mmCIF file of all heavy atoms in Angstrom:
data_model
loop_
_atom_site.group_PDB
_atom_site.id
_atom_site.type_symbol
_atom_site.label_atom_id
_atom_site.label_comp_id
_atom_site.label_asym_id
_atom_site.label_seq_id
_atom_site.Cartn_x
_atom_site.Cartn_y
_atom_site.Cartn_z
ATOM 1 N N ASN A 140 133.810 119.790 85.088
ATOM 2 C CA ASN A 140 132.642 120.626 85.329
ATOM 3 C C ASN A 140 132.038 120.621 86.718
ATOM 4 O O ASN A 140 131.330 121.550 87.194
ATOM 5 C CB ASN A 140 131.494 120.203 84.326
ATOM 6 C CG ASN A 140 131.879 120.513 82.900
ATOM 7 O OD1 ASN A 140 132.842 121.147 82.688
ATOM 8 N ND2 ASN A 140 131.059 120.064 81.963
ATOM 9 N N ASN A 141 132.255 119.429 87.384
ATOM 10 C CA ASN A 141 131.633 119.240 88.717
ATOM 11 C C ASN A 141 132.657 119.308 89.959
ATOM 12 O O ASN A 141 132.130 119.137 91.060
ATOM 13 C CB ASN A 141 130.908 117.902 88.748
ATOM 14 C CG ASN A 141 129.811 117.763 87.645
ATOM 15 O OD1 ASN A 141 129.146 118.757 87.451
ATOM 16 N ND2 ASN A 141 129.646 116.669 87.017
ATOM 17 N N LEU A 142 133.834 119.495 89.655
ATOM 18 C CA LEU A 142 134.738 119.516 90.771
ATOM 19 C C LEU A 142 134.738 120.851 91.516
ATOM 20 O O LEU A 142 134.586 121.986 90.977
ATOM 21 C CB LEU A 142 136.200 119.428 90.182
ATOM 22 C CG LEU A 142 136.566 118.044 89.541
ATOM 23 C CD1 LEU A 142 137.923 118.142 88.940
ATOM 24 C CD2 LEU A 142 136.533 116.982 90.579
ATOM 25 N N SER A 143 134.731 120.721 92.833
ATOM 26 C CA SER A 143 134.650 121.943 93.777
ATOM 27 C C SER A 143 135.965 122.669 93.817
ATOM 28 O O SER A 143 137.072 122.027 93.543
ATOM 29 C CB SER A 143 134.251 121.539 95.149
ATOM 30 O OG SER A 143 132.921 121.018 95.121
ATOM 31 N N SER A 144 135.987 123.875 94.178
ATOM 32 C CA SER A 144 137.244 124.661 94.319
ATOM 33 C C SER A 144 137.842 124.146 95.699
ATOM 34 O O SER A 144 137.193 123.635 96.510
ATOM 35 C CB SER A 144 136.931 126.204 94.418
ATOM 36 O OG SER A 144 135.963 126.373 95.397
ATOM 37 N N PRO A 145 139.143 124.339 95.835
ATOM 38 C CA PRO A 145 139.892 123.772 96.991
ATOM 39 C C PRO A 145 139.191 124.100 98.312
ATOM 40 O O PRO A 145 139.218 123.226 99.192
ATOM 41 C CB PRO A 145 141.230 124.390 96.898
ATOM 42 C CG PRO A 145 141.445 124.656 95.384
ATOM 43 C CD PRO A 145 140.127 124.964 94.843
ATOM 44 N N GLU A 146 138.757 125.374 98.547
ATOM 45 C CA GLU A 146 138.234 125.689 99.721
ATOM 46 C C GLU A 146 136.806 125.154 100.035
ATOM 47 O O GLU A 146 136.254 125.235 101.207
ATOM 48 C CB GLU A 146 138.223 127.202 99.940
ATOM 49 C CG GLU A 146 137.252 128.036 99.017
ATOM 50 C CD GLU A 146 137.798 128.235 97.610
ATOM 51 O OE1 GLU A 146 138.933 127.746 97.298
ATOM 52 O OE2 GLU A 146 137.087 128.947 96.801
ATOM 53 N N LYS A 147 136.204 124.594 98.996
ATOM 54 C CA LYS A 147 134.834 124.022 99.107
ATOM 55 C C LYS A 147 134.743 122.547 99.175
ATOM 56 O O LYS A 147 133.694 121.948 99.103
ATOM 57 C CB LYS A 147 133.912 124.620 98.072
ATOM 58 C CG LYS A 147 133.617 126.096 98.202
ATOM 59 C CD LYS A 147 132.701 126.586 97.217
ATOM 60 C CE LYS A 147 132.376 128.113 97.402
ATOM 61 N NZ LYS A 147 131.490 128.619 96.327
ATOM 62 N N LEU A 148 135.888 121.882 99.235
ATOM 63 C CA LEU A 148 136.051 120.384 99.221
ATOM 64 C C LEU A 148 135.279 119.914 100.551
ATOM 65 O O LEU A 148 135.388 120.539 101.541
ATOM 66 C CB LEU A 148 137.411 119.945 99.170
ATOM 67 C CG LEU A 148 138.206 120.152 97.854
ATOM 68 C CD1 LEU A 148 139.614 119.794 98.040
ATOM 69 C CD2 LEU A 148 137.592 119.291 96.688
ATOM 70 N N GLY A 149 134.772 118.740 100.406
ATOM 71 C CA GLY A 149 134.139 118.065 101.606
ATOM 72 C C GLY A 149 135.141 117.507 102.536
ATOM 73 O O GLY A 149 136.125 117.198 102.150
ATOM 74 N N ARG A 150 134.686 117.323 103.809
ATOM 75 C CA ARG A 150 135.554 116.737 104.788
ATOM 76 C C ARG A 150 134.974 115.205 105.067
ATOM 77 O O ARG A 150 133.810 114.957 104.767
ATOM 78 C CB ARG A 150 135.530 117.373 106.131
ATOM 79 C CG ARG A 150 136.126 118.814 105.999
ATOM 80 C CD ARG A 150 135.931 119.578 107.312
ATOM 81 N NE ARG A 150 136.417 120.984 107.128
ATOM 82 C CZ ARG A 150 137.725 121.372 107.308
ATOM 83 N NH1 ARG A 150 138.570 120.463 107.561
ATOM 84 N NH2 ARG A 150 138.021 122.639 107.121
ATOM 85 N N VAL A 151 135.847 114.352 105.545
ATOM 86 C CA VAL A 151 135.497 113.021 105.702
ATOM 87 C C VAL A 151 135.762 112.488 107.091
ATOM 88 O O VAL A 151 136.757 112.826 107.746
ATOM 89 C CB VAL A 151 136.332 111.998 104.763
ATOM 90 C CG1 VAL A 151 135.808 110.582 104.866
ATOM 91 C CG2 VAL A 151 136.133 112.532 103.328
ATOM 92 N N LYS A 152 134.647 111.801 107.674
ATOM 93 C CA LYS A 152 134.772 111.375 109.113
ATOM 94 C C LYS A 152 134.211 109.985 109.267
ATOM 95 O O LYS A 152 133.164 109.579 108.600
ATOM 96 C CB LYS A 152 134.098 112.336 110.033
ATOM 97 C CG LYS A 152 134.240 112.093 111.514
ATOM 98 C CD LYS A 152 133.523 113.167 112.297
ATOM 99 C CE LYS A 152 133.719 112.850 113.824
ATOM 100 N NZ LYS A 152 132.981 113.817 114.665
ATOM 101 N N ARG A 153 134.824 109.117 110.098
ATOM 102 C CA ARG A 153 134.386 107.824 110.350
ATOM 103 C C ARG A 153 133.486 107.876 111.628
ATOM 104 O O ARG A 153 133.872 108.405 112.598
ATOM 105 C CB ARG A 153 135.513 106.872 110.619
ATOM 106 C CG ARG A 153 135.159 105.476 111.072
ATOM 107 C CD ARG A 153 134.641 104.512 110.098
ATOM 108 N NE ARG A 153 134.533 103.208 110.606
ATOM 109 C CZ ARG A 153 134.432 102.065 109.837
ATOM 110 N NH1 ARG A 153 134.601 102.182 108.496
ATOM 111 N NH2 ARG A 153 134.179 100.905 110.429
ATOM 112 N N LEU A 154 132.224 107.232 111.550
ATOM 113 C CA LEU A 154 131.344 107.163 112.662
ATOM 114 C C LEU A 154 131.306 105.721 113.113
ATOM 115 O O LEU A 154 130.909 104.796 112.238
ATOM 116 C CB LEU A 154 129.938 107.559 112.256
ATOM 117 C CG LEU A 154 129.566 109.007 112.245
ATOM 118 C CD1 LEU A 154 128.097 109.230 111.991
ATOM 119 C CD2 LEU A 154 129.962 109.710 113.524
ATOM 120 N N GLU A 155 131.581 105.464 114.389
ATOM 121 C CA GLU A 155 131.631 104.079 114.880
ATOM 122 C C GLU A 155 130.345 103.649 115.587
ATOM 123 O O GLU A 155 130.162 102.553 116.035
ATOM 124 C CB GLU A 155 132.793 103.945 115.887
ATOM 125 C CG GLU A 155 134.170 104.238 115.369
ATOM 126 C CD GLU A 155 134.639 103.200 114.310
ATOM 127 O OE1 GLU A 155 134.043 102.145 114.270
ATOM 128 O OE2 GLU A 155 135.683 103.395 113.745
ATOM 129 N N THR A 156 129.368 104.574 115.621
ATOM 130 C CA THR A 156 128.155 104.311 116.387
ATOM 131 C C THR A 156 126.967 103.885 115.501
ATOM 132 O O THR A 156 125.787 103.812 116.025
ATOM 133 C CB THR A 156 127.721 105.603 117.152
ATOM 134 O OG1 THR A 156 127.605 106.697 116.154
ATOM 135 C CG2 THR A 156 128.748 105.990 118.171
ATOM 136 N N GLY A 157 127.161 103.579 114.209
ATOM 137 C CA GLY A 157 126.081 103.232 113.314
ATOM 138 C C GLY A 157 125.232 102.092 113.766
ATOM 139 O O GLY A 157 123.983 102.190 113.802
ATOM 140 N N THR A 158 125.831 101.017 114.182
ATOM 141 C CA THR A 158 125.089 99.826 114.553
ATOM 142 C C THR A 158 124.340 100.108 115.707
ATOM 143 O O THR A 158 123.090 99.715 115.806
ATOM 144 C CB THR A 158 126.120 98.649 114.872
ATOM 145 O OG1 THR A 158 126.811 98.318 113.642
ATOM 146 C CG2 THR A 158 125.364 97.397 115.360
ATOM 147 N N LYS A 159 124.784 100.753 116.796
ATOM 148 C CA LYS A 159 124.012 101.115 117.953
ATOM 149 C C LYS A 159 122.831 101.921 117.671
ATOM 150 O O LYS A 159 121.725 101.807 118.193
ATOM 151 C CB LYS A 159 124.913 101.674 119.021
ATOM 152 C CG LYS A 159 125.912 100.797 119.715
ATOM 153 C CD LYS A 159 126.680 101.477 120.830
ATOM 154 C CE LYS A 159 127.631 100.359 121.418
ATOM 155 N NZ LYS A 159 128.465 100.977 122.526
#
Side-chain angles (χ1 to χ4, degrees):
N140 291 354
N141 299 324
L142 294 173
S143 294
S144 56
E146 67 278 4
K147 290 183 179 178
L148 292 172
R150 297 177 184 272
V151 184
K152 187 177 180 181
R153 171 80 175 200
L154 278 184
E155 301 290 350
T156 56
T158 297
K159 285 184 180 178

